[in-house]
Amino acid sequence: VLPAVYKPDLLYWEGALRRDLALAVGSDGKVLGQGAGKAVRLKGRALLPGLVNAHSHAFQRLLRGRTEYVTSGKADDTFWSWRERMYQVALSLAPEDAYVASRQAFVEMALAGITTVGEFHYLHHAPDGSPYPNPNQMALEVIRAARDVGLRIVLLRVGYARAGFSVPENPRQRRFIDKDAGAVLSAVSRLTEEVESDPMVTVGLAPHSVRAVPKSWLEAFSGHAGVVHMHVAEQPKEVEACVAEHGKRPVELLSDLGFLKPTFTAVHAVCIEPEEISLLGRGKVHVCACPTTERNLGDGVVPADRLAAAGARLCLGSDSQATIDLLKEAEALDGQLRLVRGRRAVLDPLQGEVDGLARRLFDCATRQGAESLGLKSGQLEVGAPADFFTVDLEHPLLAGLDERTLLPALLFGADARVVREAAVGGKLIVKGGVHEHAEASGREFSALARRVF
Ligand SMILES: [Zn+2]
């Protein structure tokens, strides 16, 4: 990375957009502070900290456009029929295909201003369930895709044991399943060693859900030193099964087992009761909402207002890749709550500021996502990685705005179309709205999609 000073019209610095500032980036790819000297002028641009996508299943990009209907005779079972379709795709991907599918999702993320992805990765083994010669081969293909695109990645290595409590084995889950909790933990530590020299890649542990992991596995995972992500209470059925198995609801079980601390992220947390909200808040855990996916799957609405009031920290993910646009996720986090609560600007911090709500939602899409992934990215401050994106202030979607109104307009009125540059660790990966691998990626992805379906 060449040291540089970037001089946009507006810079997001210390929590707000400001004029007449320049961002200095050192040769180590980190923010040096306010720049002096010859600057790279980014005329007509606002420069903001890179968006952090805290929950992604990259390969599910293949499902886009292919599940927006109801299988005949399955009108009462739409989530679980979506899942069967997803399994069909999951079963068809060779390691090279996982690379091609992931790269396409990651290119789209970069073009949307996302600079970090938390990839919740559960496709581990060959389709018959036998491990690859390197048991982490699939994870390494996903990591290779992120590297080629230039994204920072946290590979959240999933542990998956079973179809569910008293549920017969599902042969379509064989690729996900490890033989015991020890096998999961050793895959995590081996993978951590394999990527150790790369500052752009880190590894976390991800017990899939209380449905897919029994108590003995959870006990083995609860002391894990790094970040832990887990699907929690996405659908009523998994909550019922948890009560039947453990006599407790999912969050209560996780609390008893010692999971609820700031290194833990509960993904979804839709079907939760007030006591569970208190527990999540008291543990200062992160809750990753994926509003466009939760809407697409009919999961429900994350009670983000009550969670935040209790002390939980909120972040966002593109999850199923139904759409890849963290600006839209941020909008939907509040937008869906408005429909439920019957009022406007539900998450507004109530300080009477025109950009107060937008700044709070943007914080969820950046800093809090990074924290949930155990990273220092997500904000531009001295010593932080220079991960950022720019938007085109001359784009028709953004006409007529100033430093106070740009952010609300960006979240509530615009979308990823206004993104022009993206940089990770000071390296520009999107320039003028173009990613150098977009064309090749699209071509190979289209060929893969034709083969899979
Ligand atoms: Zn998920």
Side-chain angles (χ1 to χ4, degrees):
V1 176
L2 291 173
V5 178
Y6 295 97
K7 177 85 179 65
D9 288 10
L10 298 173
L11 174 68
Y12 199 85
W13 186 258
E14 293 178 345
L17 281 161
R18 297 165 204 276
R19 287 190 187 279
D20 301 320
L21 294 180
L23 182 77
V25 177
S27 55
D28 59 357
K30 292 188 174 153
V31 174
L32 289 173
Q34 284 305 304
K38 194 167 157 38
V40 179
R41 180 77 175 102
L42 294 170
K43 193 173 162 357
R45 300 278 202 267
L47 188 155
L48 304 102
L51 300 166
V52 177
N53 185 3
H55 188 72
S56 154
H57 308 283
F59 80 90
Q60 292 182 14
R61 174 61 183 79
L62 278 162
L63 287 166
R64 186 179 296 170
R66 294 186 159 88
T67 61
E68 307 299 342
Y69 69 102
V70 174
T71 316
S72 67
K74 289 268 192 184
D76 54 344
D77 192 23
T78 55
F79 173 81
W80 304 95
S81 50
W82 171 87
R83 199 181 69 165
E84 287 303 308
R85 190 77 161 148
M86 183 270 284
Y87 286 172
Q88 178 202 341
V89 174
L91 276 173
S92 65
L93 301 180
E96 173 65 22
D97 303 332
Y99 168 82
V100 169
S102 302
R103 183 181 56 179
Q104 181 64 19
F106 295 156
V107 163
E108 195 177 328
M109 288 180 201
L111 291 169
I114 292 166
T115 52
T116 297
V117 61
E119 176 64 21
F120 198 98
H121 174 78
Y122 55 87
L123 276 181
H124 306 311
H125 312 304
D128 67 357
S130 58
Y132 287 106
N134 177 344
N136 286 325
Q137 189 176 345
M138 291 292 277
L140 290 168
E141 289 292 337
V142 174
I143 290 168
R144 179 165 71 95
R147 280 176 173 147
D148 287 355
V149 172
L151 287 191
R152 191 179 299 284
I153 184 169
V154 179
L155 197 294
L156 300 158
R157 204 283 186 190
V158 169
Y160 201 109
R162 60 181 194 178
F165 172 57
S166 298
V167 175
E169 191 184 323
N170 183 343
R172 310 185 96 184
Q173 295 166 342
R174 258 181 243 153
R175 298 194 81 172
F176 320 159
I177 292 177
D178 293 296
K179 71 176 194 311
D180 53 39
V184 177
L185 290 170
S186 61
V188 168
S189 53
R190 177 173 172 164
L191 188 59
T192 305
E193 280 166 33
E194 282 167 331
V195 301
E196 208 166 32
S197 59
D198 188 344
M200 302 286 279
V201 184
T202 50
V203 178
L205 172 67
H208 182 277
S209 54
V210 294
R211 168 186 65 74
V213 176
K215 193 174 173 188
S216 60
W217 284 38
L218 290 173
E219 284 164 347
F221 295 155
S222 70
H224 185 69
V227 295
V228 177
H229 280 226
M230 185 170 179
H231 293 132
V232 177
E234 179 176 8
Q235 287 270 329
K237 261 195 201 173
E238 63 171 298
V239 176
E240 288 160 27
C242 182
V243 173
E245 180 175 12
H246 304 287
K248 291 171 194 156
R249 298 176 61 88
V251 176
E252 295 169 330
L253 176 69
L254 294 172
S255 174
D256 288 354
L257 295 173
F259 277 91
L260 302 189
K261 49 194 174 192
T263 49
F264 182 71
T265 297
V267 181
H268 302 305
V270 171
C271 307
I272 52 175
E273 295 289 339
E275 313 83 74
E276 295 176 284
I277 291 175
S278 309
L279 288 171
L280 291 166
R282 235 180 292 150
K284 300 212 170 341
V285 306
H286 296 272
V287 171
C288 185
C290 307
T292 67
T293 292
E294 287 146 9
R295 181 173 63 199
N296 189 285
L297 296 179
D299 291 339
V301 175
V302 176
D305 50 347
R306 292 171 186 168
L307 282 161
R313 276 93 58 93
L314 302 163
C315 55
L316 296 164
S318 68
D319 195 0
S320 68
Q321 329 298 1
T323 185
I324 296 178
D325 191 335
L326 261 266
L327 302 174
K328 280 192 194 162
E329 302 295 342
E331 181 277 327
L333 185 69
D334 196 78
Q336 289 173 191
L337 273 178
R338 295 181 190 200
L339 296 171
V340 174
R341 305 279 185 250
R343 62 188 192 87
R344 303 187 67 246
V346 179
L347 293 169
D348 186 46
L350 302 177
Q351 282 153 359
E353 291 175 323
V354 68
D355 60 349
L357 171 62
R359 285 193 284 137
R360 184 176 192 191
L361 294 172
F362 189 67
D363 196 51
C364 298
T366 53
R367 190 178 60 85
Q368 303 211 50
E371 270 182 27
S372 119
L373 294 168
L375 299 176
K376 278 201 70 185
S377 62
Q379 56 189 334
L380 296 173
E381 60 173 14
V382 176
D387 295 3
F388 62 80
F389 73 106
T390 71
V391 300
D392 178 4
L393 296 170
E394 285 153 16
H395 194 285
L397 290 178
L398 297 178
L401 302 160
D402 60 21
E403 60 264 50
R404 300 297 303 282
T405 50
L406 178 70
L407 202 60
L410 197 55
L411 299 185
F412 290 93
D415 53 43
R417 278 175 290 173
V418 302
V419 173
R420 280 297 166 273
E421 278 81 28
V424 181
K427 182 175 178 251
L428 283 169
I429 61 170
V430 174
K431 295 176 198 165
V434 177
H435 190 288
E436 61 171 343
H437 297 325
E439 211 185 298
S441 174
R443 201 168 48 239
E444 289 168 32
F445 180 78
S446 297
L448 172 64
R450 278 195 298 276
R451 221 182 62 225
V452 168
F453 294 101

